[in-house]
Amino acid sequence: MISSAPIACQACPVADRAVCAALSQDDRDNLVRMGHQRRYARGETIVAAGDATTVCATLTRGAAKISTIDQDGTERIVALIHPAGLLGQPLASSETLHVTALTDSEACLFPRGQFEALIEARVALAKRLLAEVSRELVESRNLIDLISKRHAKGRVAALILSFFRAAGHASYPSEIAFDLPLKRGEMAQLLGLSIETVSRTLTSLENEQAICREGSHGILIRSLDILAAHAA
């Protein structure tokens, strides 16, 4: 079930990274008044392909996947969205891809017309939006590179590192835990592997003392160096 609430910028965990960070305080205040915040449950559709684009949205908490679904109902994940990322296709008249919450997530939503008017009026916002789109293009290319790695262990290690860094970590002084929101099947689908291969690879990384699995989604990284070596 979707729940809506007023936007609270002071509590936003991505206030310094989202596209709205390019705006003055007055413009951000106006943006807050025109928008609202929504919460999505894990597995809930955020954007459906074919829908008209009526809002521009930024993910503030959680994670989401962008996917295509063919006529046979087969889904293919084509990108991942981390906090501060854009949801959907804000400058397109209609959506061509599905966006689904991978975890319980939150997003700030703004009416498309008003947001586009602000983009036209504020060069800084337009530049920040362009930078975000460019960053997402780089992420997509990195994903293609990840999938093209020869060894399964390199693919899985690189995916774990991407979520580790998206959680706000560049390095760490000791062991650190975080959630890997993808299910084994989703990891397999994204990486072009079988579920059995993903499971064996995770077990192998545990045996190497690179990671430790905690519960259904928790990952404890024990050696960033081992993961980085495999990913490279």
Side-chain angles (χ1 to χ4, degrees), residues 12-22 58-60 82-85 128 132 135 165-168:
C12 179
V14 295
D16 60 334
R17 293 184 284 137
V19 293
C20 53
T58 297
L59 187 69
T60 56
H82 301 293
R128 189 64 175 256
E132 176 62 21
R135 185 195 64 77
R165 290 166 181 146

Side-chain angles (χ1 to χ4, degrees), residues 121-140:
R122 299 291 183 266
V123 174
L125 179 60
K127 288 182 177 179
R128 189 64 175 256
L129 187 63
L130 179 60
E132 176 62 21
V133 172
S134 298
R135 185 195 64 77
E136 290 181 353
L137 178 59
V138 171
E139 289 286 336
S140 295

Side-chain angles (χ1 to χ4, degrees), residues 40-47 57-67 75-88 97-107 135-136 139 143 159 162-163 166 179-183 186 190:
Y40 300 89
R42 176 184 174 85
E44 191 164 17
T45 297
I46 300 175
V47 174
T58 297
L59 187 69
T60 56
R61 287 182 175 86
K65 63 180 178 180
I66 301 177
S67 60
E75 180 187 41
R76 179 173 179 79
I77 300 173
V78 297
L80 301 172
I81 306 176
H82 301 293
L86 298 173
L87 294 170
L97 300 166
H98 297 276
V99 181
T100 308
L102 285 172
T103 66
D104 291 345
S105 302
E106 296 181 9
R135 185 195 64 77
E136 290 181 353
E139 289 286 336
L143 183 59
L159 183 63
S162 71
F163 275 100
D179 283 338
L180 184 67
L182 293 172
K183 298 177 182 178
E186 291 171 325
L190 180 66

Side-chain angles (χ1 to χ4, degrees), residues 141-217:
R141 288 172 175 168
N142 289 341
L143 183 59
I144 293 172
D145 178 64
L146 185 157
I147 295 171
S148 69
K149 290 181 182 297
R150 180 179 302 175
H151 300 294
K153 193 171 290 185
R155 301 184 195 185
V156 174
L159 183 63
I160 292 173
L161 286 175
S162 71
F163 275 100
F164 170 75
R165 290 166 181 146
H169 307 294
S171 61
Y172 62 97
S174 59
E175 296 179 345
I176 191 166
F178 66 102
D179 283 338
L180 184 67
L182 293 172
K183 298 177 182 178
R184 299 292 179 266
E186 291 171 325
M187 291 177 66
Q189 183 186 81
L190 180 66
L191 298 175
L193 302 170
S194 68
I195 296 176
E196 292 75 15
T197 298
V198 169
S199 295
R200 286 197 302 268
T201 302
L202 289 171
T203 298
S204 178
L205 289 172
E206 281 190 299
N207 292 338
E208 292 180 32
Q209 299 295 306
I211 64 168
C212 178
R213 285 176 283 185
E214 299 183 327
S216 58
H217 296 288

Side-chain angles (χ1 to χ4, degrees), residues 106-121:
E106 296 181 9
C108 288
L109 284 69
F110 309 98
R112 178 188 172 197
Q114 291 175 278
F115 193 78
E116 285 186 347
L118 193 58
I119 292 173
E120 293 178 2

Side-chain angles (χ1 to χ4, degrees), residues 11-34:
C12 179
V14 295
D16 60 334
R17 293 184 284 137
V19 293
C20 53
L23 295 171
S24 67
Q25 186 60 55
D26 287 343
D27 284 335
R28 284 200 298 272
D29 290 342
N30 289 332
L31 202 59
V32 166
R33 284 190 287 270
M34 72 172 69

